[in-house]
Amino acid sequence: MKDKVFAEGFIISMRIGTLSDLHIDRNKWELEDGETTLSILSTLIKEKAVDVLLIAGDISNHYLESHAFLEKLAEESRIPVKFVPGNHDYWAKEHDITDSHEINDFFNKQSYSLVGKPYDIDDNWAVVGTPGWYDYGYADQDKYSEAQFEKKKYGFASWNDLHFVNWNQKDKDVSQAMLNQLYRDLHSVKDKKIILMTHVATHPEFVVPLPHRIYNYANAFLGAKGYEAVYNDFESIKYSIMGHVHFRKVVRESERTFISPCLGSSKHWTDKRLKNQLEKSLVTFDL
């Protein structure tokens, strides 16, 4: 892709749009007559002049619904849409595929997937992505043991992945396997500037500050502290996109920008109009 050159002589660089945690099947939002989630997002993409859209997971609780949404969005918006799954995209709540590896393999085969196939934006920039999986590293390690985190239960509550995601492996092993693949993909484009996209948090600013009565434990499932190493190993990572936490936040550190562009849960919105919330969530930047 090349810069867009207009008659006046101005050059506009590539514009990247980022978004996460749409939860299209569980959110309760307001639409105007004739509007759909797809039509609003497609229109917003055009209004913002987005050239490439990156979605950092959690489109829905059914992998086929997430897949269909991605396919239709790319068709309607007529731009490349790239995606890494979130934990909800792996849920087996409304279908019979109980091995999460099967769902992961399905996503990885799609053209929108970044796993094993970084996306070259141009000669200078590439997008690398992985869902990532939590490694318990952001929780209070002194207060809780690894065995307690593995139970995914806190008092009378439980982390819902316990019921709907089944890797047949320990979380930390899944996390490490995804990190290993991420390193291979990063090495393959190490000579370019990189936009990294994960679902889970990979920076301490994007989890709940401790101490916290609940998140001393629950932070275990928000991010992967072990993934922080990639920022030291690859200075070429200039942007890092992440979702999962339902924060809307941008943090800049030196020459690197961290973005959490979550639409999140409508139960936390005072304004239930989807168009307004998407406008607040969609974060764009120019390369």
Side-chain angles (χ1 to χ4, degrees), residues 73-92:
L73 180 60
E75 181 180 349
E76 288 198 16
S77 65
R78 298 185 179 182
I79 64 168
V81 177
K82 296 299 175 180
F83 170 75
V84 294
N87 58 315
H88 281 260
D89 300 298
Y90 291 114
W91 275 20

Side-chain angles (χ1 to χ4, degrees), residues 1 11 16-17 56 70 97 110 124 172 177 189 229 242 283:
M1 296 181 182
I11 297 177
I16 308 300
L70 287 161
I97 298 180
Q110 307 307 320
N124 300 311
K172 293 183 76 170
V189 292
M242 60 195 87
V283 177

Side-chain angles (χ1 to χ4, degrees), residues 25 59-67 88-91 94-95 107:
D25 54 346
I59 290 177
S60 79
N61 289 350
H62 195 304
Y63 75 105
L64 291 179
E65 185 169 359
S66 298
H67 170 70
H88 281 260
D89 300 298
Y90 291 114
W91 275 20
E94 299 170 0
H95 58 76
F107 280 128

Side-chain angles (χ1 to χ4, degrees), residues 33-73:
D33 288 343
E35 287 183 338
T36 66
T37 305
L38 273 169
S39 69
I40 292 174
L41 183 52
S42 296
T43 299
L44 184 60
I45 287 169
K46 292 170 185 174
E47 290 176 350
K48 299 291 186 181
V50 172
D51 295 298
V52 178
L53 181 66
L54 307 179
I55 302 181
D58 276 7
I59 290 177
S60 79
N61 289 350
H62 195 304
Y63 75 105
L64 291 179
E65 185 169 359
S66 298
H67 170 70
F69 183 86
L70 287 161
E71 295 277 276
K72 291 176 183 176
L73 180 60

Side-chain angles (χ1 to χ4, degrees), residues 196-251:
L196 171 64
M197 182 163 67
T198 62
H199 179 64
V200 299
T202 60
H203 188 289
E205 286 287 333
F206 292 85
V207 296
V208 178
L210 303 183
H212 188 285
R213 182 176 62 86
I214 295 173
Y215 284 91
N216 286 335
Y217 182 78
N219 263 4
F221 315 113
L222 296 188
K225 187 175 177 61
Y227 286 38
E228 291 179 16
V230 301
Y231 300 121
N232 291 325
D233 294 337
F234 293 90
E235 293 184 1
S236 53
I237 298 174
K238 301 302 180 184
Y239 292 91
S240 178
I241 317 304
M242 60 195 87
H244 192 43
V245 294
H246 292 191
F247 293 172
R248 298 173 185 175
K249 189 172 185 178
V250 176
V251 174

